[in-house]
Structures are given as structure tokens and as C-alpha cells.
Amino acid sequence: MIKVQGLVKRFGGVAVLDGIDLAIEQGEIIVVIGPSGTGKSTLLRCLNFLERPDAGYLTIGDLAVDVTKASRADILEARRRTAFVFQNYALFANKTALENIAEGLIVVNRWPKEKAHARAREILERIGLTDKADAYPASLSGGQQQRVGIGRAMAAQAEVILFDEPTSSLDPEWVEEVLALMKQLAQERQTMLVVTHEMGFARDVADRVIFMEGGRIVEQGPPSRLFGDPQDPRTRDFLRKVLANQVSLDAT
Ligand SMILES: Nc1ncnc2c1ncn2[C@@H]1O[C@H](COP(=O)(O)OP(=O)(O)OP(=O)(O)O)[C@@H](O)[C@H]1O
Ligand SMILES: [Mg+2]
């Protein structure tokens, strides 16, 4: 289980995260939505210590830290327990698909190369890219690159996979295959925290949807409740805009 208590992150005196409390059960699929600049990416990055939070407590499994006192060892442990999927894949251009998936196992988990490559081959099969083991990122489609990015996160066997808009930089034709892989992970009850504008994915897959604005959680609940009967005017306003956008996109 993951627990975030009183998480604060400031940039230049502005509280971009203004006291976030959040508990995530093992196997839970959470989607985070909210306007641009609201702190969604910062929340994910703080959980992974890609950003150093200014206050709060973080519990990931049996690791419990006051973020202001986290040692280097605590930070490495938090990173081992959280895997990140980036909008822009962030693959090594000079490594093959197989090597990209195996890299973290070799460097972070100190696995011997043989063992890491064997695991990477299993992952390539699960993400449907066995035939691309030796391909470099530049020769893969956007959708395939992001599936490798997800495969790398799967290989880490983290407590939670953090997805920051994993389909936002993809050409529309590649979005479905990436969402399908994420659905497959959700069915396997991989704990996931997903920032996305894909409302269909949220509706079909999420156990809980969280609406954030101004560095705070405004409202949260099961997708049927949050989408069907939003309580806060800010949630209603956001959903109206997003859904209007998606309808107009569909119409073009
Ligand atoms: N490294 C940084 N230095 C200074 N300000 C930052 C930094 N990272 C984020 N911010 C600011 O913090 C606020 C929240 O940013 P964040 O990227 O978390 O928002 P977001 O909800 O992910 O937005 P989007 O939907 O556009 O991705 C923004 O005002 C942003 O400009
Ligand atoms: Mg963001």
C-alpha cells in the first residue's frame, strides 16, 4: 500500500502541491485528471523523488519516510518501488528495445546481464514486441516505443507504476495499442497511478478518479460517480470543457 500525507512542493514560493493526502491500495487503478498547471506531474515526480518535496510523509510498502529527512538510501528505495512511464518515452536511443528493458535491472537491481536479458525477453513477449528485441527506438513507431517504456516499468516489478500522460505525444493511430497494454496491466491488478486526458480509459478502467486543481485534490470517487454526478463546481466545469473538446474532436 502507498500513503501520501500532507505532501507539499513549492516552486519559487508558490505551493504547486498544497497538502496532498492520498492512500492507494495494492492493485488499485487510479486516474488523475485536472487542468494544466495543477500539479499532476509534480505529484507523480515527487512520489519518485524526481522532485524533492518540501513537506510530507510518504509510505511505500514498508518504506516510510518524512520527505524532508529522506536519505539517499531512502530515495533510491522509493525509486525502486515506483516505476515511471514518461510522456516522451525517455528511452536510450543507443540501446535496443531489449537493452532498454534490461538496463534498469542491471544498473538498479544489479542483476547479471544474462538474467536481466532473460527477464527482458519475457517482458517483450508480454508487450507483444518479441520480434523487435534488437530494434533501436528510432526504428520503432511511437506506439511501440511507448510499449517499450511500459515494458521497462513492468520489468522493475515496482509497487506502483506512475504514468504521466503516456499517450499524449502519440499520433492518434498509436493511442489504442498503448491503452490496450495499460488495460492488460490493470486486469493483472498492477497498481497504477495514471495522469491522462483519456476519459474513456478512466471510465472503463479506473477504480477511482481524482480531480486536482491548484495543487489540491478537489474531489475523488469511482468514475461513474465522478463523471455522472460531480459535486464540486470546479469538477463540473472541467469535465464540461474536456468532454466538449472530445465531442468536437470526434465530430471532425
Ligand atoms: N521545475 C519547475 N520549476 C518551476 N516551476 C515548475 C517546475 N515544474 C513545474 N512547475 C510549475 O508547477 C505548476 C504545476 O506543474 P505540473 O507540471 O505539475 O502541472 P500539470 O498538472 O502536470 O500540468 P499539465 O496538464 O500541463 O501537464 C506549474 O505552474 C508549473 O509551471
Ligand atoms: Mg503534467
Side-chain angles (χ1 to χ4, degrees):
M1 182 174 118
I2 292 161
K3 209 163 169 186
V4 177
Q5 290 162 286
L7 193 70
V8 174
K9 175 66 188 174
R10 294 186 197 90
F11 285 118
V14 178
V16 165
L17 295 180
D18 194 12
I20 299 283
D21 296 310
L22 176 63
I24 306 173
E25 298 296 333
Q26 192 170 353
E28 200 177 7
I29 318 299
I30 299 184
V31 165
V32 181
I33 60 173
S36 181
T38 252
K40 305 180 298 293
S41 297
T42 305
L43 172 61
L44 264 52
R45 294 172 64 83
C46 281
L47 296 181
N48 194 249
F49 283 95
L50 286 167
E51 301 285 356
R52 184 72 182 243
D54 292 302
Y57 294 88
L58 189 57
T59 310
I60 311 173
D62 56 11
L63 173 76
V65 285
D66 173 339
V67 295
T68 59
K69 296 184 182 128
S71 66
R72 205 177 142 66
D74 290 333
I75 290 171
L76 289 176
E77 194 52 44
R79 287 194 181 141
R80 258 195 282 277
R81 289 160 186 245
T82 53
F84 213 102
V85 175
F86 297 90
Q87 185 175 333
N88 296 315
Y89 334 129
L91 301 178
F92 293 110
N94 61 342
K95 291 191 189 294
T96 63
L98 179 105
E99 289 166 345
N100 265 285
I101 293 170
E103 181 71 7
L105 297 173
I106 295 168
V107 174
V108 180
N109 301 47
R110 305 252 162 83
W111 284 20
K113 191 172 150 189
E114 289 304 303
K115 186 179 170 194
H117 281 202
R119 162 65 62 75
R121 276 197 195 84
E122 286 169 27
I123 299 279
L124 281 166
E125 197 178 327
R126 286 175 63 198
I127 64 175
L129 288 176
T130 303
D131 56 332
K132 298 293 184 189
D134 300 323
Y136 289 89
S139 71
L140 299 175
S141 74
Q144 289 169 337
Q145 289 184 60
Q146 188 58 298
R147 281 152 64 199
V148 173
I150 294 171
R152 177 177 53 189
M154 289 161 65
Q157 293 195 296
E159 301 244 358
V160 60
I161 302 184
L162 310 167
F163 294 82
D164 193 2
E165 300 202 31
T167 58
S168 294
S169 356
L170 293 173
D171 288 343
E173 56 188 313
W174 308 124
V175 169
E176 269 320 307
E177 67 186 62
V178 170
L179 292 178
L181 176 57
M182 292 169 65
K183 281 182 193 173
Q184 180 187 319
L185 284 178
Q187 273 156 12
E188 294 165 9
R189 300 320 289 179
Q190 163 69 55
T191 313
M192 295 161 62
L193 186 58
V194 184
V195 175
T196 185
H197 298 293
E198 294 287 339
M199 295 297 153
F201 176 85
R203 190 192 52 224
D204 296 344
V205 178
D207 298 308
R208 182 161 35 131
V209 178
I210 290 178
F211 173 70
M212 272 180 75
E213 193 175 282
R216 293 188 179 177
I217 294 177
V218 170
E219 184 171 354
Q220 57 183 311
S224 56
R225 218 276 295 138
L226 198 101
F227 294 147
D229 185 24
Q231 299 297 303
D232 193 283
R234 288 167 293 180
T235 317
R236 283 202 288 272
D237 189 47
F238 175 78
L239 288 173
R240 194 163 45 232
K241 283 178 191 150
V242 171
L243 296 174
N245 246 331
Q246 296 200 340
V247 169
S248 65
L249 281 177
D250 288 345
T252 54

